[in-house]
Amino acid sequence: METMKKRRSIRQYTSEDIPNELLNDLLSTASRASNTGNMQLYSVVVTRDAENKQRLAPAHFNQPMVTSAPVVLTFCADINRFRIWAENRKAQAGFDNFQTFMAATIDSMLFAEAFAEAAEEKGLGLCYLGTTTYNAKPIIEALNLPKGVVPIVTITVGHPQEPLPAQCERLPLDAIVHEEKYQDYTPEAIDRLYKGKEESDSNKEFVRANKKETLAQVFTEIRYTKANNEHFSAVFLQVLKDQGFLK
Amino acid sequence: METMKKRRSIRQYTSEDIPNELLNDLLSTASRASNTGNMQLYSVVVTRDAENKQRLAPAHFNQPMVTSAPVVLTFCADINRFRIWAENRKAQAGFDNFQTFMAATIDSMLFAEAFAEAAEEKGLGLCYLGTTTYNAKPIIEALNLPKGVVPIVTITVGHPQEPLPAQCERLPLDAIVHEEKYQDYTPEAIDRLYKGKEESDSNKEFVRANKKETLAQVFTEIRYTKANNEHFSAVFLQVLKDQGFLK
C-alpha cells in the first residue's frame, strides 16, 4: 500500500538491466490476477533487443522511453492461443466478436496492472504508453501478431533514474466515487473538485506554455483533439475488423 | 508479492462489514494507478444498500456474491465528468468516439486492478464479475449512469469466509510470454502448455459433469458459446451507441 500511495510514472531509467529471472517472476505473479473464465485471453511480448525497440519507437511517436528502457512490454488481447487449443480439441471457439474482444481487453489490462504493482513493489519504475491503441497496426506488424491478437497497452520498465519526478495530482476521491447511484456534477461541484488540479503550479505553467485560457482547453484543443480522436477511432475500428473482432 | 502469488477469487464472505474509511483509503490508493493524460476517465459506484444489490443481481445472472458481499463496486469508463468540466471552462471535449472509450476502459481497468491489489493486501477477498459488459444496459438503469458512462467490470468484496477455496491453475509462463516476436503455437506446443490445465482434477471433473469429451468443449459449447457471444456483442455495441461512443 505504501509503495502504491507514493507511485509515479517513471520515464528515465538507469543503464541497469532487468534480469530475466526477475522479469519472469513478476509476470508469473501477475498472471495470478483475475481473468475471464480462467481462459487467460492475453499475451505479452517482451522487447529487449535495441533494433526491435527502434522498430517500435515510431508507433509510440518516438517517446524516448521506448529506446531508453531496458524492457518494453506490449500487452495484448489474445484469443488466438485459445482458438488453436480449441481446434486441437474438437471444439470451435466462436470468439471472433466484440464481446470477446472486451473480455480479452479486460483480462490483458488486469494482467498489466498486476505486473505494474509487482514491479513497483520490487523497486522498478515504469510508464504506460497510451499510444498503443492509436498505432496498433504498425505494432502488429513489428511484433508479428496474428489474427485474434490486438495490442492494448505498452509499458516501459527499468530502474528509476534519480531524482524521481514529482508525483502528479489526482482528483479528490468524491470526484470519482458515487454512493449507491451516480450523482451528476453541478457547476459548483466541478469548481470544487477541479480546484486543486487547476491551481497546481505545474498545470498553471502548462496553460501558460500552451498559450491557452484554461487547462481544459490544453486537453481538448492540443492533447486530445476531436479530429485526432475521430481519426484514431476509425483506424482502431479497422484494426479490430482486420484482426477478426468486428464483422 | 507474496499476497499476489497466493491470490484466489473469493465468492463467500463473512458478515463483517467494510468500514467506509478503509474502503475510501483503498480507492484513494488505487487512484494513484496510471491513467490517460491524468484525465482519470473513470468512476466507481459503491453499492452497500440491500435493495440496490437486489436490483443489480439479475444483471449479474443472480450470482449470489452480489447480494451476499458487504460491498459491490461497479467500475465505469466515464467521459461525462471531464466533458462537464470542459464545458464549464470554455472548452469542447471531442470524446464521443471509440478511441476515447478505449482510453476510458483502460483507465477504469487499471484503477479496478489497483483497488483489487490494495484490498487483498489488507486481507479482503474479492471476485470480478464478467457479466457487466453483457448486461450493461440494466446496470446503467439501476445506477442512473448518464450518457458518456459505461460500466466495464464489477467487483464484489468482503472478508473471506474460511476455508478458502483452492487456488486455480494458470498456464505456464511461456504460454503467455513471447520473446521479441509473437511465436505462433504448434499443436505440440499447445499439448505441452495445456497439459497441466487439462489434467487437473477439478477440470477433469468439469468435463465429466458437463458430459463433454474435452475441456475446450465445455468452454465453447456451454460457457462461452458463439451464439451468446454474438448476441451480447450486438447488445454491447448498441450500449456504446446509446452512451455516445459510436456513431
Side-chain angles (χ1 to χ4, degrees), chain A residues 31-32 38 46 52 78 89-90 99 133 168 170 180 182 198 213 217, chain B residues 31-32 46 52 78 89-90 99 133 168 170 180 182 197-198 213 217:
Chain A
S31 78
R32 298 303 328 172
N38 206 17
V46 180
N52 288 335
D78 185 342
R89 298 295 185 269
K90 304 180 189 172
Q99 188 65 239
T133 52
C168 286
R170 288 290 187 266
E180 302 296 336
Y182 195 101
E198 291 173 318
E213 196 182 342
Q217 288 172 352
Chain B
S31 78
R32 299 304 329 172
V46 180
N52 288 334
D78 185 342
R89 297 295 185 271
K90 304 181 190 172
Q99 188 64 240
T133 52
C168 286
R170 288 290 187 268
E180 301 296 337
Y182 194 100
K197 187 180 190 80
E198 291 173 319
E213 197 182 338
Q217 288 171 353

PDB file of all heavy atoms in Angstrom, chain A residues 31-32 38 46 52 78 89-90 99 133 168 170 180 182 198 213 217, chain B residues 31-32 46 52 78 89-90 99 133 168 170 180 182 197-198 213 217:
ATOM      1  N   SER A  31       0.204 -13.088 -13.467  1.00  0.00           N
ATOM      2  CA  SER A  31      -0.769 -13.984 -14.099  1.00  0.00           C
ATOM      3  C   SER A  31      -1.748 -14.562 -13.077  1.00  0.00           C
ATOM      4  O   SER A  31      -2.717 -15.224 -13.445  1.00  0.00           O
ATOM      5  CB  SER A  31      -0.062 -15.107 -14.875  1.00  0.00           C
ATOM      6  OG  SER A  31       0.400 -16.108 -13.985  1.00  0.00           O
ATOM      7  N   ARG A  32      -1.527 -14.301 -11.784  1.00  0.00           N
ATOM      8  CA  ARG A  32      -2.499 -14.693 -10.757  1.00  0.00           C
ATOM      9  C   ARG A  32      -3.695 -13.744 -10.741  1.00  0.00           C
ATOM     10  O   ARG A  32      -4.693 -14.009 -10.060  1.00  0.00           O
ATOM     11  CB  ARG A  32      -1.871 -14.709  -9.347  1.00  0.00           C
ATOM     12  CG  ARG A  32      -0.726 -15.679  -9.111  1.00  0.00           C
ATOM     13  CD  ARG A  32      -0.978 -17.132  -9.376  1.00  0.00           C
ATOM     14  NE  ARG A  32      -2.319 -17.592  -9.130  1.00  0.00           N
ATOM     15  CZ  ARG A  32      -2.777 -18.804  -9.451  1.00  0.00           C
ATOM     16  NH1 ARG A  32      -1.976 -19.694 -10.013  1.00  0.00           N
ATOM     17  NH2 ARG A  32      -4.018 -19.148  -9.230  1.00  0.00           N
ATOM     18  N   ASN A  38     -10.951 -18.077 -16.424  1.00  0.00           N
ATOM     19  CA  ASN A  38      -9.598 -18.648 -16.418  1.00  0.00           C
ATOM     20  C   ASN A  38      -9.137 -19.078 -17.817  1.00  0.00           C
ATOM     21  O   ASN A  38      -8.380 -20.033 -17.974  1.00  0.00           O
ATOM     22  CB  ASN A  38      -9.487 -19.827 -15.438  1.00  0.00           C
ATOM     23  CG  ASN A  38      -8.053 -20.017 -14.943  1.00  0.00           C
ATOM     24  OD1 ASN A  38      -7.225 -19.122 -15.074  1.00  0.00           O
ATOM     25  ND2 ASN A  38      -7.754 -21.194 -14.409  1.00  0.00           N
ATOM     26  N   VAL A  46       7.799  -9.321 -25.022  1.00  0.00           N
ATOM     27  CA  VAL A  46       8.921  -8.681 -24.331  1.00  0.00           C
ATOM     28  C   VAL A  46       9.931  -8.206 -25.365  1.00  0.00           C
ATOM     29  O   VAL A  46      10.439  -9.012 -26.148  1.00  0.00           O
ATOM     30  CB  VAL A  46       9.620  -9.691 -23.388  1.00  0.00           C
ATOM     31  CG1 VAL A  46      10.794  -9.026 -22.665  1.00  0.00           C
ATOM     32  CG2 VAL A  46       8.625 -10.299 -22.401  1.00  0.00           C
ATOM     33  N   ASN A  52      14.799  -3.973 -32.289  1.00  0.00           N
ATOM     34  CA  ASN A  52      13.344  -4.136 -32.185  1.00  0.00           C
ATOM     35  C   ASN A  52      12.687  -2.953 -31.471  1.00  0.00           C
ATOM     36  O   ASN A  52      11.571  -2.562 -31.809  1.00  0.00           O
ATOM     37  CB  ASN A  52      13.004  -5.452 -31.488  1.00  0.00           C
ATOM     38  CG  ASN A  52      13.289  -6.659 -32.379  1.00  0.00           C
ATOM     39  OD1 ASN A  52      13.287  -6.532 -33.619  1.00  0.00           O
ATOM     40  ND2 ASN A  52      13.551  -7.807 -31.774  1.00  0.00           N
ATOM     41  N   ASP A  78      -5.775 -11.461 -26.589  1.00  0.00           N
ATOM     42  CA  ASP A  78      -5.354 -12.605 -27.407  1.00  0.00           C
ATOM     43  C   ASP A  78      -6.372 -13.743 -27.322  1.00  0.00           C
ATOM     44  O   ASP A  78      -6.517 -14.386 -26.282  1.00  0.00           O
ATOM     45  CB  ASP A  78      -3.980 -13.089 -26.907  1.00  0.00           C
ATOM     46  CG  ASP A  78      -3.395 -14.213 -27.775  1.00  0.00           C
ATOM     47  OD1 ASP A  78      -4.138 -14.860 -28.535  1.00  0.00           O
ATOM     48  OD2 ASP A  78      -2.167 -14.432 -27.680  1.00  0.00           O
ATOM     49  N   ARG A  89      -8.785 -29.656 -30.033  1.00  0.00           N
ATOM     50  CA  ARG A  89      -9.525 -30.445 -29.029  1.00  0.00           C
ATOM     51  C   ARG A  89     -10.980 -30.633 -29.448  1.00  0.00           C
ATOM     52  O   ARG A  89     -11.883 -30.636 -28.604  1.00  0.00           O
ATOM     53  CB  ARG A  89      -9.470 -29.742 -27.658  1.00  0.00           C
ATOM     54  CG  ARG A  89      -8.082 -29.584 -27.059  1.00  0.00           C
ATOM     55  CD  ARG A  89      -7.435 -30.915 -26.732  1.00  0.00           C
ATOM     56  NE  ARG A  89      -6.155 -30.742 -26.056  1.00  0.00           N
ATOM     57  CZ  ARG A  89      -4.983 -30.663 -26.695  1.00  0.00           C
ATOM     58  NH1 ARG A  89      -4.918 -30.716 -28.015  1.00  0.00           N
ATOM     59  NH2 ARG A  89      -3.867 -30.532 -25.991  1.00  0.00           N
ATOM     60  N   LYS A  90     -11.204 -30.741 -30.775  1.00  0.00           N
ATOM     61  CA  LYS A  90     -12.555 -30.986 -31.294  1.00  0.00           C
ATOM     62  C   LYS A  90     -13.564 -29.945 -30.825  1.00  0.00           C
ATOM     63  O   LYS A  90     -14.719 -30.271 -30.489  1.00  0.00           O
ATOM     64  CB  LYS A  90     -13.047 -32.382 -30.876  1.00  0.00           C
ATOM     65  CG  LYS A  90     -12.123 -33.515 -31.303  1.00  0.00           C
ATOM     66  CD  LYS A  90     -12.689 -34.852 -30.861  1.00  0.00           C
ATOM     67  CE  LYS A  90     -11.694 -35.979 -31.074  1.00  0.00           C
ATOM     68  NZ  LYS A  90     -12.122 -37.244 -30.486  1.00  0.00           N
ATOM     69  N   GLN A  99     -17.728  -8.754 -28.025  1.00  0.00           N
ATOM     70  CA  GLN A  99     -17.833  -9.088 -26.600  1.00  0.00           C
ATOM     71  C   GLN A  99     -16.572  -9.827 -26.128  1.00  0.00           C
ATOM     72  O   GLN A  99     -16.044  -9.541 -25.045  1.00  0.00           O
ATOM     73  CB  GLN A  99     -19.085  -9.936 -26.355  1.00  0.00           C
ATOM     74  CG  GLN A  99     -19.431 -10.192 -24.897  1.00  0.00           C
ATOM     75  CD  GLN A  99     -19.813  -8.955 -24.084  1.00  0.00           C
ATOM     76  OE1 GLN A  99     -19.166  -8.633 -23.077  1.00  0.00           O
ATOM     77  NE2 GLN A  99     -20.835  -8.240 -24.516  1.00  0.00           N
ATOM     78  N   THR A 133      -3.102   1.906 -28.695  1.00  0.00           N
ATOM     79  CA  THR A 133      -4.351   1.754 -29.470  1.00  0.00           C
ATOM     80  C   THR A 133      -4.427   2.756 -30.625  1.00  0.00           C
ATOM     81  O   THR A 133      -5.254   2.597 -31.511  1.00  0.00           O
ATOM     82  CB  THR A 133      -5.609   1.907 -28.579  1.00  0.00           C
ATOM     83  OG1 THR A 133      -5.513   3.124 -27.828  1.00  0.00           O
ATOM     84  CG2 THR A 133      -5.749   0.730 -27.625  1.00  0.00           C
ATOM     85  N   CYS A 168       2.205  13.384  -9.581  1.00  0.00           N
ATOM     86  CA  CYS A 168       1.109  14.182 -10.152  1.00  0.00           C
ATOM     87  C   CYS A 168      -0.046  14.265  -9.173  1.00  0.00           C
ATOM     88  O   CYS A 168      -0.254  13.370  -8.363  1.00  0.00           O
ATOM     89  CB  CYS A 168       0.554  13.521 -11.408  1.00  0.00           C
ATOM     90  SG  CYS A 168       1.610  13.666 -12.831  1.00  0.00           S
ATOM     91  N   ARG A 170      -4.060  14.100  -8.119  1.00  0.00           N
ATOM     92  CA  ARG A 170      -5.253  13.348  -8.518  1.00  0.00           C
ATOM     93  C   ARG A 170      -6.470  14.124  -8.056  1.00  0.00           C
ATOM     94  O   ARG A 170      -6.373  14.931  -7.120  1.00  0.00           O
ATOM     95  CB  ARG A 170      -5.288  11.944  -7.863  1.00  0.00           C
ATOM     96  CG  ARG A 170      -4.282  10.964  -8.422  1.00  0.00           C
ATOM     97  CD  ARG A 170      -4.618  10.515  -9.840  1.00  0.00           C
ATOM     98  NE  ARG A 170      -3.725   9.458 -10.294  1.00  0.00           N
ATOM     99  CZ  ARG A 170      -2.599   9.639 -10.995  1.00  0.00           C
ATOM    100  NH1 ARG A 170      -2.190  10.864 -11.312  1.00  0.00           N
ATOM    101  NH2 ARG A 170      -1.866   8.611 -11.369  1.00  0.00           N
ATOM    102  N   GLU A 180     -24.080   4.546  -4.038  1.00  0.00           N
ATOM    103  CA  GLU A 180     -25.365   3.941  -4.423  1.00  0.00           C
ATOM    104  C   GLU A 180     -25.831   4.291  -5.843  1.00  0.00           C
ATOM    105  O   GLU A 180     -26.169   3.405  -6.606  1.00  0.00           O
ATOM    106  CB  GLU A 180     -26.478   4.253  -3.411  1.00  0.00           C
ATOM    107  CG  GLU A 180     -26.151   3.771  -1.973  1.00  0.00           C
ATOM    108  CD  GLU A 180     -26.026   2.255  -1.823  1.00  0.00           C
ATOM    109  OE1 GLU A 180     -26.600   1.514  -2.637  1.00  0.00           O
ATOM    110  OE2 GLU A 180     -25.333   1.790  -0.885  1.00  0.00           O
ATOM    111  N   TYR A 182     -25.229   7.104  -9.359  1.00  0.00           N
ATOM    112  CA  TYR A 182     -24.383   8.131  -9.968  1.00  0.00           C
ATOM    113  C   TYR A 182     -25.008   9.498  -9.716  1.00  0.00           C
ATOM    114  O   TYR A 182     -26.183   9.716 -10.028  1.00  0.00           O
ATOM    115  CB  TYR A 182     -24.293   7.870 -11.466  1.00  0.00           C
ATOM    116  CG  TYR A 182     -23.192   8.624 -12.200  1.00  0.00           C
ATOM    117  CD1 TYR A 182     -22.009   7.999 -12.534  1.00  0.00           C
ATOM    118  CD2 TYR A 182     -23.369   9.952 -12.589  1.00  0.00           C
ATOM    119  CE1 TYR A 182     -21.013   8.672 -13.236  1.00  0.00           C
ATOM    120  CE2 TYR A 182     -22.378  10.638 -13.281  1.00  0.00           C
ATOM    121  CZ  TYR A 182     -21.192   9.987 -13.603  1.00  0.00           C
ATOM    122  OH  TYR A 182     -20.211  10.659 -14.299  1.00  0.00           O
ATOM    123  N   GLU A 198      -6.517  22.585 -11.070  1.00  0.00           N
ATOM    124  CA  GLU A 198      -6.341  23.831 -11.833  1.00  0.00           C
ATOM    125  C   GLU A 198      -5.343  24.777 -11.179  1.00  0.00           C
ATOM    126  O   GLU A 198      -4.710  25.581 -11.862  1.00  0.00           O
ATOM    127  CB  GLU A 198      -7.705  24.522 -12.001  1.00  0.00           C
ATOM    128  CG  GLU A 198      -8.616  23.734 -12.926  1.00  0.00           C
ATOM    129  CD  GLU A 198     -10.041  24.287 -12.999  1.00  0.00           C
ATOM    130  OE1 GLU A 198     -10.607  24.667 -11.963  1.00  0.00           O
ATOM    131  OE2 GLU A 198     -10.598  24.300 -14.114  1.00  0.00           O
ATOM    132  N   GLU A 213      -6.371  29.656 -22.406  1.00  0.00           N
ATOM    133  CA  GLU A 213      -7.023  30.380 -21.322  1.00  0.00           C
ATOM    134  C   GLU A 213      -7.304  29.461 -20.141  1.00  0.00           C
ATOM    135  O   GLU A 213      -7.220  29.874 -18.982  1.00  0.00           O
ATOM    136  CB  GLU A 213      -8.327  30.972 -21.868  1.00  0.00           C
ATOM    137  CG  GLU A 213      -8.938  32.059 -21.000  1.00  0.00           C
ATOM    138  CD  GLU A 213     -10.267  32.562 -21.586  1.00  0.00           C
ATOM    139  OE1 GLU A 213     -10.517  32.330 -22.800  1.00  0.00           O
ATOM    140  OE2 GLU A 213     -11.051  33.137 -20.830  1.00  0.00           O
ATOM    141  N   GLN A 217      -8.810  23.524 -22.026  1.00  0.00           N
ATOM    142  CA  GLN A 217      -8.505  23.784 -23.443  1.00  0.00           C
ATOM    143  C   GLN A 217      -7.191  23.120 -23.882  1.00  0.00           C
ATOM    144  O   GLN A 217      -7.054  22.746 -25.044  1.00  0.00           O
ATOM    145  CB  GLN A 217      -8.428  25.295 -23.695  1.00  0.00           C
ATOM    146  CG  GLN A 217      -9.801  25.977 -23.643  1.00  0.00           C
ATOM    147  CD  GLN A 217      -9.704  27.495 -23.688  1.00  0.00           C
ATOM    148  OE1 GLN A 217      -8.605  28.066 -23.611  1.00  0.00           O
ATOM    149  NE2 GLN A 217     -10.845  28.163 -23.817  1.00  0.00           N
TER     150      GLN A 217
ATOM    151  N   SER B  31      -6.410   5.122  -6.942  1.00  0.00           N
ATOM    152  CA  SER B  31      -6.447   6.228  -7.910  1.00  0.00           C
ATOM    153  C   SER B  31      -5.043   6.717  -8.261  1.00  0.00           C
ATOM    154  O   SER B  31      -4.882   7.542  -9.159  1.00  0.00           O
ATOM    155  CB  SER B  31      -7.322   7.382  -7.401  1.00  0.00           C
ATOM    156  OG  SER B  31      -6.623   8.155  -6.437  1.00  0.00           O
ATOM    157  N   ARG B  32      -4.022   6.212  -7.582  1.00  0.00           N
ATOM    158  CA  ARG B  32      -2.637   6.502  -7.961  1.00  0.00           C
ATOM    159  C   ARG B  32      -2.213   5.709  -9.194  1.00  0.00           C
ATOM    160  O   ARG B  32      -1.142   5.961  -9.763  1.00  0.00           O
ATOM    161  CB  ARG B  32      -1.648   6.180  -6.826  1.00  0.00           C
ATOM    162  CG  ARG B  32      -1.804   6.945  -5.519  1.00  0.00           C
ATOM    163  CD  ARG B  32      -1.765   8.452  -5.579  1.00  0.00           C
ATOM    164  NE  ARG B  32      -0.932   9.021  -6.620  1.00  0.00           N
ATOM    165  CZ  ARG B  32      -0.883  10.317  -6.920  1.00  0.00           C
ATOM    166  NH1 ARG B  32      -1.623  11.177  -6.265  1.00  0.00           N
ATOM    167  NH2 ARG B  32      -0.121  10.748  -7.881  1.00  0.00           N
ATOM    168  N   VAL B  46     -20.461   2.666  -5.592  1.00  0.00           N
ATOM    169  CA  VAL B  46     -20.403   1.787  -4.425  1.00  0.00           C
ATOM    170  C   VAL B  46     -21.825   1.400  -4.034  1.00  0.00           C
ATOM    171  O   VAL B  46     -22.645   2.273  -3.754  1.00  0.00           O
ATOM    172  CB  VAL B  46     -19.750   2.522  -3.225  1.00  0.00           C
ATOM    173  CG1 VAL B  46     -19.682   1.602  -2.004  1.00  0.00           C
ATOM    174  CG2 VAL B  46     -18.368   3.056  -3.597  1.00  0.00           C
ATOM    175  N   ASN B  52     -30.608  -2.049  -3.294  1.00  0.00           N
ATOM    176  CA  ASN B  52     -29.868  -1.740  -4.517  1.00  0.00           C
ATOM    177  C   ASN B  52     -29.077  -2.953  -5.028  1.00  0.00           C
ATOM    178  O   ASN B  52     -28.933  -3.138  -6.240  1.00  0.00           O
ATOM    179  CB  ASN B  52     -28.945  -0.541  -4.293  1.00  0.00           C
ATOM    180  CG  ASN B  52     -29.732   0.759  -4.184  1.00  0.00           C
ATOM    181  OD1 ASN B  52     -30.843   0.861  -4.724  1.00  0.00           O
ATOM    182  ND2 ASN B  52     -29.179   1.733  -3.488  1.00  0.00           N
ATOM    183  N   ASP B  78     -15.720   6.596 -17.994  1.00  0.00           N
ATOM    184  CA  ASP B  78     -16.503   7.816 -17.739  1.00  0.00           C
ATOM    185  C   ASP B  78     -15.852   9.022 -18.408  1.00  0.00           C
ATOM    186  O   ASP B  78     -14.782   9.470 -17.989  1.00  0.00           O
ATOM    187  CB  ASP B  78     -16.609   8.046 -16.217  1.00  0.00           C
ATOM    188  CG  ASP B  78     -17.504   9.229 -15.850  1.00  0.00           C
ATOM    189  OD1 ASP B  78     -17.781  10.080 -16.713  1.00  0.00           O
ATOM    190  OD2 ASP B  78     -17.922   9.290 -14.673  1.00  0.00           O
ATOM    191  N   ARG B  89     -15.412  25.337 -18.779  1.00  0.00           N
ATOM    192  CA  ARG B  89     -14.117  26.025 -18.884  1.00  0.00           C
ATOM    193  C   ARG B  89     -13.835  26.443 -20.321  1.00  0.00           C
ATOM    194  O   ARG B  89     -12.695  26.404 -20.788  1.00  0.00           O
ATOM    195  CB  ARG B  89     -12.990  25.094 -18.396  1.00  0.00           C
ATOM    196  CG  ARG B  89     -13.070  24.676 -16.941  1.00  0.00           C
ATOM    197  CD  ARG B  89     -12.899  25.844 -15.990  1.00  0.00           C
ATOM    198  NE  ARG B  89     -12.865  25.413 -14.592  1.00  0.00           N
ATOM    199  CZ  ARG B  89     -13.948  25.289 -13.817  1.00  0.00           C
ATOM    200  NH1 ARG B  89     -15.154  25.527 -14.302  1.00  0.00           N
ATOM    201  NH2 ARG B  89     -13.823  24.926 -12.544  1.00  0.00           N
ATOM    202  N   LYS B  90     -14.887  26.822 -21.045  1.00  0.00           N
ATOM    203  CA  LYS B  90     -14.753  27.317 -22.425  1.00  0.00           C
ATOM    204  C   LYS B  90     -14.008  26.329 -23.324  1.00  0.00           C
ATOM    205  O   LYS B  90     -13.181  26.730 -24.160  1.00  0.00           O
ATOM    206  CB  LYS B  90     -14.015  28.668 -22.450  1.00  0.00           C
ATOM    207  CG  LYS B  90     -14.674  29.733 -21.587  1.00  0.00           C
ATOM    208  CD  LYS B  90     -13.890  31.032 -21.682  1.00  0.00           C
ATOM    209  CE  LYS B  90     -14.368  32.050 -20.657  1.00  0.00           C
ATOM    210  NZ  LYS B  90     -13.524  33.243 -20.601  1.00  0.00           N
ATOM    211  N   GLN B  99     -12.126   5.602 -29.734  1.00  0.00           N
ATOM    212  CA  GLN B  99     -10.764   5.670 -29.181  1.00  0.00           C
ATOM    213  C   GLN B  99     -10.805   6.167 -27.727  1.00  0.00           C
ATOM    214  O   GLN B  99     -10.108   5.619 -26.860  1.00  0.00           O
ATOM    215  CB  GLN B  99      -9.898   6.606 -30.042  1.00  0.00           C
ATOM    216  CG  GLN B  99      -8.423   6.625 -29.703  1.00  0.00           C
ATOM    217  CD  GLN B  99      -7.686   5.313 -29.927  1.00  0.00           C
ATOM    218  OE1 GLN B  99      -7.112   4.734 -28.990  1.00  0.00           O
ATOM    219  NE2 GLN B  99      -7.686   4.808 -31.146  1.00  0.00           N
ATOM    220  N   THR B 133     -20.301  -6.383 -18.873  1.00  0.00           N
ATOM    221  CA  THR B 133     -20.431  -5.956 -20.277  1.00  0.00           C
ATOM    222  C   THR B 133     -21.543  -6.714 -21.009  1.00  0.00           C
ATOM    223  O   THR B 133     -21.955  -6.301 -22.081  1.00  0.00           O
ATOM    224  CB  THR B 133     -19.107  -6.121 -21.065  1.00  0.00           C
ATOM    225  OG1 THR B 133     -18.621  -7.459 -20.884  1.00  0.00           O
ATOM    226  CG2 THR B 133     -18.043  -5.143 -20.575  1.00  0.00           C
ATOM    227  N   CYS B 168      -6.856 -21.666  -8.348  1.00  0.00           N
ATOM    228  CA  CYS B 168      -6.975 -22.212  -9.714  1.00  0.00           C
ATOM    229  C   CYS B 168      -5.601 -22.343 -10.354  1.00  0.00           C
ATOM    230  O   CYS B 168      -4.685 -21.598 -10.026  1.00  0.00           O
ATOM    231  CB  CYS B 168      -7.768 -21.271 -10.604  1.00  0.00           C
ATOM    232  SG  CYS B 168      -9.515 -21.277 -10.280  1.00  0.00           S
ATOM    233  N   ARG B 170      -2.884 -21.893 -13.479  1.00  0.00           N
ATOM    234  CA  ARG B 170      -2.635 -20.950 -14.564  1.00  0.00           C
ATOM    235  C   ARG B 170      -1.780 -21.668 -15.602  1.00  0.00           C
ATOM    236  O   ARG B 170      -1.079 -22.635 -15.287  1.00  0.00           O
ATOM    237  CB  ARG B 170      -1.888 -19.705 -14.081  1.00  0.00           C
ATOM    238  CG  ARG B 170      -2.712 -18.756 -13.233  1.00  0.00           C
ATOM    239  CD  ARG B 170      -3.793 -18.032 -14.040  1.00  0.00           C
ATOM    240  NE  ARG B 170      -4.473 -17.010 -13.250  1.00  0.00           N
ATOM    241  CZ  ARG B 170      -5.586 -17.202 -12.541  1.00  0.00           C
ATOM    242  NH1 ARG B 170      -6.177 -18.392 -12.507  1.00  0.00           N
ATOM    243  NH2 ARG B 170      -6.124 -16.194 -11.860  1.00  0.00           N
ATOM    244  N   GLU B 180      10.544 -11.040 -27.956  1.00  0.00           N
ATOM    245  CA  GLU B 180      10.821 -10.211 -29.148  1.00  0.00           C
ATOM    246  C   GLU B 180       9.723 -10.247 -30.220  1.00  0.00           C
ATOM    247  O   GLU B 180       9.298  -9.202 -30.689  1.00  0.00           O
ATOM    248  CB  GLU B 180      12.190 -10.574 -29.771  1.00  0.00           C
ATOM    249  CG  GLU B 180      13.382 -10.410 -28.811  1.00  0.00           C
ATOM    250  CD  GLU B 180      13.626  -8.956 -28.354  1.00  0.00           C
ATOM    251  OE1 GLU B 180      13.209  -8.036 -29.052  1.00  0.00           O
ATOM    252  OE2 GLU B 180      14.209  -8.780 -27.254  1.00  0.00           O
ATOM    253  N   TYR B 182       5.990 -12.425 -31.631  1.00  0.00           N
ATOM    254  CA  TYR B 182       4.957 -13.414 -31.309  1.00  0.00           C
ATOM    255  C   TYR B 182       5.293 -14.722 -32.015  1.00  0.00           C
ATOM    256  O   TYR B 182       5.491 -14.758 -33.231  1.00  0.00           O
ATOM    257  CB  TYR B 182       3.612 -12.891 -31.794  1.00  0.00           C
ATOM    258  CG  TYR B 182       2.396 -13.626 -31.259  1.00  0.00           C
ATOM    259  CD1 TYR B 182       1.653 -13.104 -30.203  1.00  0.00           C
ATOM    260  CD2 TYR B 182       1.963 -14.822 -31.827  1.00  0.00           C
ATOM    261  CE1 TYR B 182       0.515 -13.740 -29.713  1.00  0.00           C
ATOM    262  CE2 TYR B 182       0.830 -15.476 -31.349  1.00  0.00           C
ATOM    263  CZ  TYR B 182       0.111 -14.932 -30.294  1.00  0.00           C
ATOM    264  OH  TYR B 182      -1.019 -15.574 -29.821  1.00  0.00           O
ATOM    265  N   LYS B 197      -3.393 -27.876 -17.216  1.00  0.00           N
ATOM    266  CA  LYS B 197      -4.782 -27.433 -17.099  1.00  0.00           C
ATOM    267  C   LYS B 197      -5.732 -28.608 -17.349  1.00  0.00           C
ATOM    268  O   LYS B 197      -6.680 -28.830 -16.602  1.00  0.00           O
ATOM    269  CB  LYS B 197      -5.018 -26.338 -18.138  1.00  0.00           C
ATOM    270  CG  LYS B 197      -6.367 -25.634 -18.061  1.00  0.00           C
ATOM    271  CD  LYS B 197      -6.471 -24.577 -19.158  1.00  0.00           C
ATOM    272  CE  LYS B 197      -7.687 -23.711 -18.967  1.00  0.00           C
ATOM    273  NZ  LYS B 197      -7.499 -22.659 -17.954  1.00  0.00           N
ATOM    274  N   GLU B 198      -5.434 -29.364 -18.410  1.00  0.00           N
ATOM    275  CA  GLU B 198      -6.340 -30.452 -18.788  1.00  0.00           C
ATOM    276  C   GLU B 198      -6.302 -31.611 -17.801  1.00  0.00           C
ATOM    277  O   GLU B 198      -7.283 -32.348 -17.668  1.00  0.00           O
ATOM    278  CB  GLU B 198      -5.986 -30.946 -20.202  1.00  0.00           C
ATOM    279  CG  GLU B 198      -6.315 -29.912 -21.262  1.00  0.00           C
ATOM    280  CD  GLU B 198      -5.835 -30.267 -22.664  1.00  0.00           C
ATOM    281  OE1 GLU B 198      -4.703 -30.777 -22.805  1.00  0.00           O
ATOM    282  OE2 GLU B 198      -6.576 -30.034 -23.619  1.00  0.00           O
ATOM    283  N   GLU B 213     -16.457 -34.218 -24.204  1.00  0.00           N
ATOM    284  CA  GLU B 213     -15.292 -35.047 -24.467  1.00  0.00           C
ATOM    285  C   GLU B 213     -13.993 -34.332 -24.071  1.00  0.00           C
ATOM    286  O   GLU B 213     -13.047 -34.957 -23.595  1.00  0.00           O
ATOM    287  CB  GLU B 213     -15.273 -35.367 -25.972  1.00  0.00           C
ATOM    288  CG  GLU B 213     -14.383 -36.529 -26.354  1.00  0.00           C
ATOM    289  CD  GLU B 213     -14.391 -36.742 -27.873  1.00  0.00           C
ATOM    290  OE1 GLU B 213     -15.347 -36.294 -28.542  1.00  0.00           O
ATOM    291  OE2 GLU B 213     -13.421 -37.352 -28.377  1.00  0.00           O
ATOM    292  N   GLN B 217     -14.354 -28.033 -25.129  1.00  0.00           N
ATOM    293  CA  GLN B 217     -15.783 -28.071 -25.483  1.00  0.00           C
ATOM    294  C   GLN B 217     -16.662 -27.487 -24.380  1.00  0.00           C
ATOM    295  O   GLN B 217     -17.727 -26.935 -24.663  1.00  0.00           O
ATOM    296  CB  GLN B 217     -16.217 -29.510 -25.794  1.00  0.00           C
ATOM    297  CG  GLN B 217     -15.654 -30.017 -27.124  1.00  0.00           C
ATOM    298  CD  GLN B 217     -15.907 -31.512 -27.337  1.00  0.00           C
ATOM    299  OE1 GLN B 217     -16.386 -32.201 -26.426  1.00  0.00           O
ATOM    300  NE2 GLN B 217     -15.586 -32.004 -28.524  1.00  0.00           N
TER     301      GLN B 217
END
